[in-house]
Amino acid sequence: MHEMGEAAARWLVGRVGEMEQALAALVEVNSWTENPKGGREVGALLREQLALPGLTAEVVASTRYADHLVFRSQGAPGRAPLALVGHLDTVFPPGRFEGYRVDGPLRRGPGVLDMKGGLVVIAWALKALVAAGGLERLPPLRLVVVSDEEVGSPEGTRVIREAIAGAEACLVFESGRAGDAIITRRKGTGMAVATAHGKAAHAGNAHQEGANALWALARFVDRVQQLTDYPRGLTVNVGKVTGGQGKNTVPDQAVAEVDLRFCTRADGESLVQRFHEAAREAAAGVPGTRVEVQGGVAREPLERTEASAALMDAYGACAHLSGLGRGESPLVGGGSDASTSSAMGIPSIDGLGPRGKGFHTVEEFIEVDTLVPKAQALARYLASRAG
């Protein structure tokens, strides 16, 4: 509804100070994934910021992390819901990178970009829509904020799936990119642990009686590294290898930890299958050894579809009206919870938070003047889906 969106956009004018104050409160609390106490404090602040007429909050208890949050609005009857997704956890433990800092037009601090800034954008867009007529005029909303995204959403994936089932679209408010480019493609991610077993023996007195697990593992490493195919967006990285007791002992065990990235679900499944083949081939080359592989696909890719491209265009038009860019981002190598919604068949776009750089580094910042237009873009888009 054009009038509602424009009224919400007007309401947001001049509110950057409010948004910044809310953002600073979130950033000042350390919510490293493994710091559930801090995460719960951030969750309580978010519930305060999102205490809006027509929006209910559910706390989903975690067994290890901070609680996850699900907000719902009833919305117009007979409409499929719209999903908004974010996370409250950050990557640095207490004492490593702390506090909220003003630096000219920039705002610095852990999570200011990834992605507490995006959560504030969502909250103020919804506040604006309440002021412009109420959430009941919109399609039903499902806002999910998980607390474990930075470690792959081991619990959050289920929370998201259950909360947004049946949604017609999903918008994810991860770190905003240069030029406000909208993300439609992310690589899938996976991991594997290869364990080679052999037989220990004294390297001098009984070398021939041993079976060198490190040798078998080295053969495995060589094979899987060769599966990298840059033109197809496939990468395999053996990032850590351990094994052996000392130079004079034939090693009976060795372990490799492997990261894999891929652009399509089929490629991810194929990579995992080829890892197992490489393990059999490697062990066959070193008699007396065996290589076991555990793990596989962790996050499926965010794949671009006709429906997600149409969603990008519709949201991009609202971003343009708000003074933002509307282009499409290049393929992104890292995963996010947009991959979960995409794998459910829900058209999904990502990177809709405030513009900035440096996520996962101590140089993390946002351009503070993008907070209001990002909220205006979301408010305009949600209002466009009314009626």
Side-chain angles (χ1 to χ4, degrees):
M1 195 175 288
H2 175 77
E3 296 83 0
M4 186 180 187
E6 294 311 302
R10 288 193 298 273
W11 184 89
L12 284 161
V13 172
R15 296 188 184 268
V16 65
E18 298 175 16
M19 296 180 74
E20 184 177 359
Q21 184 177 7
L23 177 58
L26 298 178
V27 172
E28 287 288 350
V29 180
N30 180 287
S31 57
W32 178 43
T33 312
E34 301 291 345
N35 178 18
K37 180 176 182 295
R40 286 192 291 270
E41 187 175 341
V42 169
L45 290 170
L46 286 171
R47 292 198 302 277
E48 290 178 10
Q49 294 177 14
L50 286 160
L52 301 172
L55 193 68
T56 63
E58 176 190 0
V59 175
V60 182
S62 168
T63 60
R64 177 176 176 181
Y65 309 105
D67 298 329
H68 313 284
L69 305 175
V70 179
F71 300 87
R72 296 180 174 88
S73 71
Q74 178 120 13
R79 296 288 303 277
L82 292 170
L84 310 173
V85 172
H87 65 87
L88 60 81
D89 58 322
T90 52
V91 299
F92 288 105
R96 177 70 178 90
F97 176 39
E98 300 277 11
Y100 182 86
R101 182 160 60 90
V102 175
D103 181 12
L106 309 180
R107 300 298 182 266
R108 299 183 180 273
V112 70
L113 176 65
D114 184 18
M115 61 160 287
K116 293 174 179 178
L119 298 176
V120 170
V121 164
I122 295 172
W124 258 254
L126 297 185
K127 288 176 185 289
L129 289 165
V130 168
L135 301 182
E136 66 276 3
R137 300 174 66 185
L138 306 175
L141 300 179
R142 303 290 181 264
L143 166 57
V144 186
V145 183
V146 300
S147 64
D148 59 352
E149 191 275 344
E150 296 294 3
V151 294
S153 299
E155 294 179 351
T157 296
R158 175 187 58 80
V159 176
I160 293 169
R161 285 183 172 275
E162 291 180 357
I164 72 171
E168 67 177 32
C170 181
L171 284 65
V172 182
F173 287 79
E174 283 282 4
S175 314
R177 267 44 180 187
D180 310 306
I182 299 168
I183 297 171
T184 59
R185 298 174 65 214
R186 284 185 180 270
K187 287 188 178 183
T189 64
M191 60 81 62
V193 176
T195 304
H197 301 272
K199 181 181 179 183
H202 191 281
N205 294 325
H207 187 276
Q208 70 279 9
E209 296 177 11
N212 194 311
L214 268 172
W215 189 13
L217 189 67
R219 288 170 173 261
F220 171 83
V221 169
D222 185 54
R223 282 168 168 77
V224 297
Q225 285 284 163
Q226 293 185 60
L227 298 177
T228 291
D229 185 341
Y230 293 123
R232 290 180 61 186
L234 304 180
T235 58
V236 175
N237 184 66
V238 180
K240 183 177 181 181
V241 174
T242 57
Q245 298 173 352
K247 67 181 181 62
N248 62 345
T249 302
V250 177
D252 63 350
Q253 189 175 82
V255 179
E257 298 179 19
V258 191
D259 176 273
L260 50 149
R261 310 278 169 144
F262 45 91
C263 293
T264 68
R265 183 184 306 183
D267 277 346
E269 293 171 351
S270 175
L271 271 181
V272 173
Q273 179 182 347
R274 294 172 75 182
F275 273 33
H276 288 281
E277 293 170 358
R280 290 191 292 269
E281 293 168 359
V286 184
T289 66
R290 59 188 172 87
V291 180
E292 300 173 340
V293 177
Q294 294 181 320
V297 172
R299 268 201 179 113
E300 295 189 11
L302 170 60
E303 297 189 54
R304 189 185 197 273
T305 65
E306 289 186 8
S308 67
L311 174 60
M312 176 189 67
D313 289 341
Y315 183 87
C318 297
H320 180 70
L321 283 174
S322 305
L324 299 168
R326 58 188 301 180
E328 185 171 8
S329 169
L331 172 67
V332 175
S336 86
D337 287 324
S339 299
T340 297
S341 54
S342 175
M344 297 172 68
I346 300 171
S348 304
I349 56 175
D350 197 355
L352 307 181
R355 191 189 309 145
K357 289 183 180 178
F359 50 85
H360 291 206
T361 78
V362 297
E363 302 300 324
E364 182 175 1
F365 70 83
I366 62 164
E367 299 173 22
V368 69
D369 288 344
T370 64
L371 284 170
V372 165
K374 290 282 186 169
Q376 289 174 325
L378 174 58
R380 283 183 162 113
Y381 173 75
L382 293 176
S384 75
R385 306 302 301 160

